Amino acid sequence: MRGSDEQTGALFSYQSPESLVPRDHPLRAIRLVVNAALERLSEPFSKLYSPYGRASIAPEKLLRALLVQAFFGIRSERQLMEQVRYNMLFRWFIGLSMDAPIWDVTVFTKNRDRLLEGDIAREFLLAILADPQVKPLLSSEHFSVDGTLIAAWASMKSFQPKDGSGSPPGPGRNGERDFRGEKRSNQTHESTTDPDARLYRKADGQPAKLAYLGHVLMENRNGLIVDAELTKATGWAERAAAEAMIEDAAPAGRVTLGADKAYDVAAHVARLRALGVTPHVAQNATNRRSAIDRRTTRHPGYALSQTIRKRIEEPFGWIKEAGGFRQTKHRGQERVGWMFTLRAAAYNLIRLPKLFATT
């Protein structure tokens, strides 16, 4: 017998978002770690809010919603609010009931910006790493570092001379502009859309673009990110960020740090050794003398570090593709860096359920 296509609405519902999520769903394990980390951040959250006035969106819900955006590659916060309205999985993860009203997108972004003041993204990353289940998964002796290009939310048309000279764009909403014969550099030009973005070319043969540089420090045991930083795109930013991150992660030294040929610079290698760090840096002997000699390369650990360090491309790939951060949707180094660090934390959370299962 053919069934009827009639649709009848129920007057009452006795289900909760919790009951609709499968028991073996990976977000269940992730949510436990997230809630424990947010509980550790209760004191930093309290410092950001006044004890008086009207209650705002809970910072815990804000962070869970931003994690949902990173996990599922939702391209904008406006679309995030739309999907939270009807997606019961998202409601459950964030901590909203089935009939809870959804925030207006402008209210959500205004409350999100409050979290920038306390560098909450980095504190959240460290709180995840401090979890009793996560600590045994981390190496405290062997690390790898690398940087990647994050395209800025600014077009080349916005890259104008600082002194106000230059031909004006053509008529229309997005008028053409002729750059032929014009020499452009970061010393003489800057973006009117995002002044913190820099014109940068990652390698020979690639086009220069307005961008930032994102850096991560990875521990070598399970490939988890232990620190993340975003800087302006310059030729020395990768090495400076590596030195700062390894000093924070291993202040006592006596660790190894794997890196590619871009880090084979004598001054950088000397600074790492002064910090007590063994530089397992790939040798760059093309028309030059490498700063890495037999003192380092003769040890079996050097070859092992060179093999493992290539895994650092995995978090970069996830952050850019699944996390939707190949080109940022934000402007300004502080805000872009905050979002980059949050996606680094999201990458760790994605990895944890499988690591818990294997250990």
Side-chain angles (χ1 to χ4, degrees):
M1 177 180 176
R2 178 180 176 181
S4 173
D5 190 30
E6 295 179 2
Q7 297 184 19
T8 57
L11 182 59
F12 299 103
S13 175
Y14 298 96
Q15 285 187 315
S16 66
E18 167 79 22
S19 65
L20 299 175
V21 181
R23 290 295 170 187
D24 59 348
H25 199 287
L27 280 184
R28 285 191 177 273
I30 291 174
R31 195 173 192 270
L32 292 175
V33 177
V34 169
N35 288 347
L38 292 175
E39 189 173 348
R40 297 185 193 98
L41 294 179
S42 179
E43 185 175 347
F45 284 149
S46 298
K47 294 178 181 179
L48 298 176
Y49 294 85
S50 170
Y52 310 103
R54 188 173 60 180
S56 63
I57 302 173
E60 294 85 353
K61 288 185 171 63
L62 279 171
L63 273 175
R64 290 196 204 100
L66 291 171
L67 286 174
V68 165
Q69 184 180 13
F71 291 157
F72 295 93
I74 301 173
R75 67 175 182 267
S76 70
E77 288 162 2
R78 187 174 300 279
Q79 190 182 57
L80 173 64
M81 295 298 101
E82 178 186 341
Q83 294 197 21
V84 171
R85 189 178 306 280
Y86 55 77
N87 193 314
M88 291 300 109
L89 177 65
F90 292 178
R91 281 180 174 265
W92 166 79
F93 188 86
I94 295 171
L96 298 172
S97 63
M98 293 184 73
D99 56 353
I102 304 303
W103 313 295
D104 182 81
V105 64
T106 55
V107 175
F108 181 85
T109 55
K110 188 176 182 64
N111 279 267
R112 178 211 63 199
D113 287 347
R114 187 194 301 268
L115 300 181
L116 292 172
E117 301 172 10
D119 198 13
I120 293 299
R122 188 170 190 274
E123 293 294 329
F124 180 62
L125 173 62
L126 297 178
I128 292 171
L129 300 176
D131 191 279
Q133 285 184 282
V134 179
K135 271 187 176 182
L137 303 174
L138 305 176
S139 170
S140 60
E141 298 176 341
H142 305 291
F143 301 89
S144 297
V145 69
D146 204 358
T148 190
L149 205 64
I150 304 295
W153 193 247
S155 71
M156 291 301 296
K157 291 180 182 179
S158 72
F159 199 56
Q160 303 283 349
K162 294 180 181 180
D163 59 5
S165 62
S167 60
R173 180 175 176 272
N174 192 19
E176 295 293 333
R177 187 170 181 272
D178 185 12
F179 299 108
R180 188 180 299 275
E182 180 181 340
K183 293 183 178 180
R184 294 180 292 174
S185 70
N186 291 316
Q187 286 70 37
T188 59
H189 291 61
E190 74 174 4
S191 171
T192 57
T193 304
D194 187 355
D196 288 340
R198 292 292 181 267
L199 192 65
Y200 188 79
R201 183 175 61 185
K202 182 67 174 177
D204 293 338
Q206 295 185 4
K209 60 178 69 175
L210 291 170
Y212 293 94
L213 282 177
H215 318 270
V216 299
L217 182 68
M218 179 190 78
E219 56 82 31
N220 285 359
R221 180 175 297 168
N222 286 295
L224 294 174
I225 298 174
V226 296
D227 202 356
E229 187 175 340
L230 184 127
T231 64
K232 294 178 181 178
T234 64
W236 47 264
E238 286 186 299
R239 296 183 289 275
E243 294 163 16
M245 290 191 294
I246 195 63
E247 187 174 11
D248 289 342
R254 297 185 177 275
V255 299
T256 66
L257 182 65
D260 60 26
K261 292 182 179 181
Y263 296 82
D264 185 8
V265 176
H268 173 61
V269 170
R271 284 192 290 267
L272 289 179
R273 288 190 169 129
L275 293 172
V277 178
T278 302
H280 283 182
V281 176
Q283 290 181 300
N284 184 6
T286 306
N287 301 323
R288 62 190 292 274
R289 182 177 179 180
S290 173
I292 304 298
D293 52 29
R294 285 284 298 168
R295 287 182 299 169
T296 303
T297 59
R298 64 189 175 89
H299 295 287
Y302 175 80
L304 186 60
S305 288
Q306 284 301 299
T307 300
I308 295 177
R309 72 163 178 83
K310 297 173 184 178
R311 294 181 61 188
I312 205 167
E313 298 299 334
E314 295 176 12
F316 285 147
W318 188 91
I319 289 171
K320 286 186 170 185
E321 295 301 324
F325 214 69
R326 181 173 294 278
Q327 181 178 26
T328 177
K329 304 297 191 300
H330 305 274
R331 294 176 181 143
Q333 182 180 349
E334 184 181 17
R335 183 175 284 105
V336 176
W338 196 94
M339 288 297 177
F340 178 77
T341 304
L342 185 68
R343 277 163 173 76
Y347 171 79
N348 283 350
L349 290 169
I350 287 292
R351 293 283 320 284
L352 289 179
K354 289 186 178 180
L355 293 176
F356 290 159
T358 56
T359 56

